[in-house]
Amino acid sequence: MAGVCDICGKSTGRRVFRCTDGKVCRDCYEIVSNHFTSTITKSTLAELKERYAENAAPLDLGENGFHISYKIGTFLLLDEQNQKFCILSNRAVTGVYARPEIFSYDALGEYEFLCEPEVTMEEFLTLTAKRRSKTVIKNLRIRLKTRDSKDRDLVLLPGAAKASGPACRQAGKYAKEIVQWAKRLQDRYEGK
């Protein structure tokens, strides 16, 4: 039986998605469920309306749009033509959905390699190159600090893994690529 969506007011059609105190259509469900990645059955209508307001607005691509010219894993998209970068949410790694964010190249302030246990990137890469290393890496992130004073962490390794294992080697490859890109960008805008 068709009803009316409690978010947009359109007909729900035969496919109705229910929350604790209401119902939504398929189009609204896609938005409030973060593109079908979560359920809404335990959410209230007020929570869904708030989530809808956060996620429904189109992403601001800025002047001239965003044209992907290079991709670093599932972490960063680069637009060399328009001098922009996009930080992706990487839900597969972090377990949390976040909207992608687009910045101009000159918005990048600093970057930081963060590893637990605390080692430098060079030490980390040395550990991953050793085939029988017993060292366990608990967490690996690259922190990008933008000029708006917010830190954005690119989580490359969310949980514990052996340094000599494939997960750490892959994370190390991406870490090296991201740090090299950030360093080039920093040098460019600092006039080096």
Side-chain angles (χ1 to χ4, degrees), residues 162-178:
K162 276 190 171 181
S164 59
C168 278
R169 284 196 303 273
Q170 186 69 26
K173 175 185 160 232
Y174 289 133
K176 184 177 178 182
E177 203 171 347
I178 292 166

Side-chain angles (χ1 to χ4, degrees), residues 40-165:
I40 64 168
T41 54
K42 295 180 181 174
S43 300
T44 66
L45 190 56
E47 291 170 334
L48 295 181
K49 285 181 177 181
E50 186 177 313
R51 207 178 302 160
Y52 183 88
E54 291 171 3
N55 297 331
L59 200 57
D60 181 12
L61 301 177
E63 191 176 321
N64 299 325
F66 190 91
H67 307 283
I68 301 168
S69 57
Y70 192 73
K71 177 178 167 182
I72 301 177
T74 55
F75 309 101
L76 282 176
L77 299 176
L78 308 177
D79 178 354
E80 290 292 329
Q81 176 186 346
N82 294 310
Q83 306 288 292
K84 297 178 190 175
F85 65 98
C86 177
I87 298 175
L88 301 171
S89 74
N90 199 5
R91 183 179 186 273
V93 175
T94 62
V96 177
Y97 174 81
R99 287 188 67 155
E101 294 182 87
I102 297 175
F103 302 92
S104 65
Y105 274 4
D106 62 356
L108 182 65
E110 299 175 14
Y111 63 91
E112 193 175 357
F113 177 84
L114 302 167
C115 181
E116 190 181 333
E118 199 171 307
V119 293
T120 65
M121 190 168 75
E122 292 73 24
E123 292 168 332
F124 175 80
L125 294 174
T126 300
L127 286 172
T128 61
K130 292 180 183 175
R131 290 287 178 203
R132 302 214 188 277
S133 174
K134 296 199 187 289
T135 304
V136 174
I137 304 299
K138 295 179 183 169
N139 189 311
L140 179 66
R141 301 173 277 144
I142 304 291
R143 179 167 289 158
L144 299 179
K145 298 180 180 190
T146 56
R147 300 207 192 282
D148 67 1
S149 327
K150 289 186 183 175
D151 296 344
R152 273 90 175 169
D153 285 356
L154 305 178
V155 179
L156 304 172
L157 189 68
K162 276 190 171 181
S164 59

Side-chain angles (χ1 to χ4, degrees), residues 4-8 12 15-25 28-29 32-33 38-52:
V4 175
C5 175
D6 291 326
I7 294 177
C8 70
T12 59
R15 188 77 170 136
V16 177
F17 298 89
R18 297 193 183 279
C19 62
T20 59
D21 56 348
K23 57 189 173 293
V24 298
C25 66
C28 290
Y29 178 71
V32 298
S33 69
S38 62
T39 62
I40 64 168
T41 54
K42 295 180 181 174
S43 300
T44 66
L45 190 56
E47 291 170 334
L48 295 181
K49 285 181 177 181
E50 186 177 313
R51 207 178 302 160
Y52 183 88

